[in-house]
Amino acid sequence: MKLAKRVEELPPYLFAQISKVIAAKKAQGIDVVTFGIGDPDLPTPPHILAALHRAADDPANHRYPESEGLPRLRQAIADWYERRFEVAFDAEREALALIGSKEGIAHMALTLIDPGDVALVTDPGYPVYEIGTMFAGGVAVKLPLTRENGWLPDLDAIPEDLAARARVLWLNYPNNPTAAVADLAFFEKAVAWAREYDVSICHDNPYCDVAFDGYRPLSIFQAPGAREVAIEFNSFSKIYNMTGWRIGMAVGNAELVDALMRVKSNIDSGIPQAIQEMAIEAVNGPQGVIADHNAIYQRRRDRIVETLRAIGLDADPPKASLYVWAKLPDGVTSGDFAARLIEECAVVVTPGRGYGVNGEGYVRLSVTIADDRMEEGLRRLRDWGGLGGA
Ligand SMILES: *Cc1c(COP(=O)(O)O)cnc(C)c1O
């Protein structure tokens, strides 16, 4: 059988490899503690589940859903953006429901990229921006993120000819995997740059309400003029503990939203309507759950940072996201470190190298791990003692 190049050239999905190692350990009867995947361990709040239960019994929800999302859901998304960020969107033209934001992100490339076109993505970065580009036949050019530049791309360093060729710039703040955040000045600069070079911006914002110490992440649409160039992906997954239900959203420039909708309407047939009802309840229902979740994550964040520092890693408590991004001692590679932790204490962390070459020298730990499992994992790390003590 001859498979398409886009399949043959596909790197193994980062977490698929890790899952395999975990499975092998478990098969040997070893109790593995994983700080690997960012997937809320807490259940979906009961009032959101109640909306699903009600909607499941209504035969109107047993038929094909509307591709672009129920008008009530799109309105709920627009209203949420207005309450949360004080930006108004026309629900019909500027808001769209997605089968999880990952789906929209991957399909977005088909709306902007012709074969050979350039997409600018960050390194390190969430892998889907690059893979989506590759699926569309485009070329992903990496913008380096480093600790020195605050894990923000240096837009002034992008050569003129590259800027002129680029069709899209992918951004993600609060950032996965680095947990970096962007301020309004950065978004204003990105919007000005994109308008100058006629580049679209796709901003991925699934952690906009996963934040600590009173910090409030921004939407790119708080930067004036963003609506002329940008689309923002957002999600119910991380904010409302709904990763398993697969529902997300995109808002922004009407032409970009319409293009994505037209691509999607030829591929999928929308989101099960009972799940759309959950999303409506999530944004319109009681919002206290967000602070409750964040308080739990913040406490875990502090426990993890404390332990990492004790074993010789350099980690700052993040302002937002579900991750602690920790620097390893010089000369230690993230793959070797992660492999040693699995071997020597059956603890899983994600090697930063999996997110790009600039992720080398770092590991990512997720706070989405039950407290007792986290404490067990941290105890093992302290007993292990770090590279110096090993
Ligand atoms: C988790 C995550 C997503 C995917 O969210 P879904 O809505 O569940 O598909 C997208 N982007 C980033 C950066 C993420 O970390």
Side-chain angles (χ1 to χ4, degrees), residues 100-102 105 126 129 172 176 204 206-207 235 237-238 246:
S101 60
K102 184 177 179 182
I105 290 165
Y126 183 65
Y129 317 133
N172 161 223
N176 178 10
D204 186 15
Y207 300 101
S235 179
S237 288
K238 314 285 167 57
R246 310 311 306 134

Side-chain angles (χ1 to χ4, degrees), residues 15 34-42 101 126 172-181 204-212 215 217 235-244 246 289-305 308 316-326 348-350 355 363-370 374:
F15 297 122
T34 177
F35 292 91
I37 296 183
D39 182 0
D41 57 300
L42 304 162
S101 60
Y126 183 65
N172 161 223
Y173 295 97
N175 186 256
N176 178 10
T178 68
V181 298
D204 186 15
N205 202 8
Y207 300 101
C208 72
D209 270 338
V210 184
F212 316 115
Y215 176 72
S235 179
F236 302 88
S237 288
K238 314 285 167 57
I239 304 173
Y240 298 105
N241 299 346
M242 287 175 63
T243 48
R246 310 311 306 134
V289 290
I290 296 175
D292 295 346
H293 301 158
N294 288 344
I296 293 168
Y297 295 144
Q298 183 172 321
R299 187 165 40 72
R300 293 177 182 167
R301 171 199 73 167
D302 293 340
R303 290 287 295 145
I304 291 171
V305 167
L308 293 178
D316 292 324
K319 285 198 179 103
S321 86
L322 292 171
Y323 311 106
V324 175
W325 181 242
V348 175
V349 301
T350 309
Y355 298 95
V363 289
R364 195 196 76 171
L365 283 83
S366 169
V367 299
T368 57
I369 172 172
M374 175 187 74

Side-chain angles (χ1 to χ4, degrees), residues 197-225:
Y197 292 101
D198 192 22
V199 174
S200 297
I201 297 181
C202 295
H203 182 234
D204 186 15
N205 202 8
Y207 300 101
C208 72
D209 270 338
V210 184
F212 316 115
D213 306 319
Y215 176 72
R216 299 278 281 163
L218 303 175
S219 161
I220 195 168
F221 292 106
Q222 287 167 291

Side-chain angles (χ1 to χ4, degrees), residues 2-140:
K2 174 92 178 73
L3 296 176
K5 280 205 191 65
R6 73 175 66 83
V7 175
E8 285 178 342
E9 288 169 7
L10 209 50
Y13 187 59
L14 176 64
F15 297 122
Q17 268 171 323
I18 294 170
S19 305
K20 228 185 264 174
V21 179
I22 297 171
K25 286 279 167 200
K26 284 185 178 162
Q28 296 167 38
I30 295 168
D31 173 42
V32 179
V33 177
T34 177
F35 292 91
I37 296 183
D39 182 0
D41 57 300
L42 304 162
T44 306
H47 67 278
I48 298 176
L49 287 171
L52 170 73
H53 297 153
R54 282 193 302 275
D57 283 332
D58 180 353
N61 294 328
H62 300 178
R63 312 188 66 192
Y64 281 123
E66 289 181 58
S67 258
E68 63 271 40
L70 290 168
R72 278 190 304 113
L73 172 57
R74 284 184 292 145
Q75 190 59 52
I77 290 169
D79 292 345
W80 178 65
Y81 256 85
E82 182 147 21
R83 284 195 302 275
R84 175 66 183 80
F85 299 111
E86 293 175 19
V87 286
F89 289 106
D90 176 347
E92 221 174 286
R93 295 170 48 253
E94 297 175 317
L96 182 61
L98 303 170
I99 311 171
S101 60
K102 184 177 179 182
E103 174 266 313
I105 290 165
H107 284 140
M108 192 68 207
L110 297 176
T111 72
L112 288 166
I113 299 292
D114 281 319
D117 282 349
V118 167
L120 300 173
V121 303
T122 63
D123 177 331
Y126 183 65
V128 187
Y129 317 133
E130 181 185 357
I131 302 286
T133 305
M134 189 265 266
F135 280 169
V139 180

